[in-house]
Amino acid sequence: AVAAAQPALLRQCCAVLSARLRQLQGGLALQKRLVDCVISLLARGVVAPVMEALGEVASSSAADFSLARHVALRLLAVVAPPYAPPFAASLLALLRQPRLKEAFGASFGEASQAASRQRQPLVETVRHIGAEHPPLKEGAAAWLFEMGVADTSE
């Protein structure tokens, strides 16, 4: 609400929320709510600090796997192509975080329809990044290979 009412305070709001999120305290529900609040700042143009904060959460060994999945799925629910090259690079870097890949690892090994649905936004996003941003194609292909997904971009 502060960010909407006081646009000049957007970066400060992001800093406060990010600092609280980095502490990874207060229970999973609170952590997920903080992630949602940080992601909402993307729509207001606070991109680099938000991506940095989300990357830290996604890579933290202290983060619960469900929180890491929440970061990725909520982020992908609010962004859409075409991605600017710097954003595409930061998004791919976030998705390539070992902790995040590990959080989705069990789902990728399952043959269930639910697991397939859960991973689909990630797979589509990484394929898009690889296809639309040639400098990132190798990283996208590596992610798909590491996760056991066929690269159909060729």
Side-chain angles (χ1 to χ4, degrees):
V2 172
Q6 299 293 329
L9 299 177
L10 286 173
R11 289 201 181 272
Q12 290 89 338
C13 287
C14 185
V16 169
L17 291 170
S18 297
R20 181 67 174 109
L21 188 56
R22 283 184 194 104
Q23 294 172 357
L24 292 174
Q25 297 173 344
L28 189 57
L30 175 61
Q31 293 169 6
K32 287 182 176 183
R33 181 68 181 126
L34 286 169
V35 166
D36 293 345
C37 290
V38 169
I39 288 173
S40 73
L41 294 175
L42 278 175
R44 303 204 181 276
V46 185
V47 178
V50 166
M51 293 303 290
E52 181 182 332
L54 296 176
E56 288 179 20
V57 172
S59 67
S60 173
S61 61
D64 184 271
F65 282 154
S66 66
L67 181 63
R69 286 190 298 269
H70 184 79
V71 166
L73 295 173
R74 293 301 275 219
L75 177 61
L76 295 180
V78 300
V79 300
Y83 304 120
F87 180 77
S90 66
L91 180 57
L92 183 59
L94 184 141
L95 295 176
R96 291 192 72 191
Q97 290 290 333
R99 181 73 174 176
L100 189 61
K101 290 189 298 187
E102 189 179 356
F104 278 97
S107 295
F108 277 83
E110 296 174 8
S112 72
Q113 289 182 347
S116 179
R117 279 192 306 273
Q118 187 180 39
R119 74 178 183 196
Q120 200 55 37
L122 281 78
V123 171
E124 289 173 7
T125 299
V126 171
R127 283 185 175 145
H128 176 82
I129 289 171
E132 297 298 317
H133 301 279
L136 302 175
K137 184 174 184 166
E138 186 176 317
W143 183 90
L144 292 167
F145 177 78
E146 291 162 4
M147 296 310 290
V149 178
D151 183 0
T152 60
S153 64
E154 311 230 347

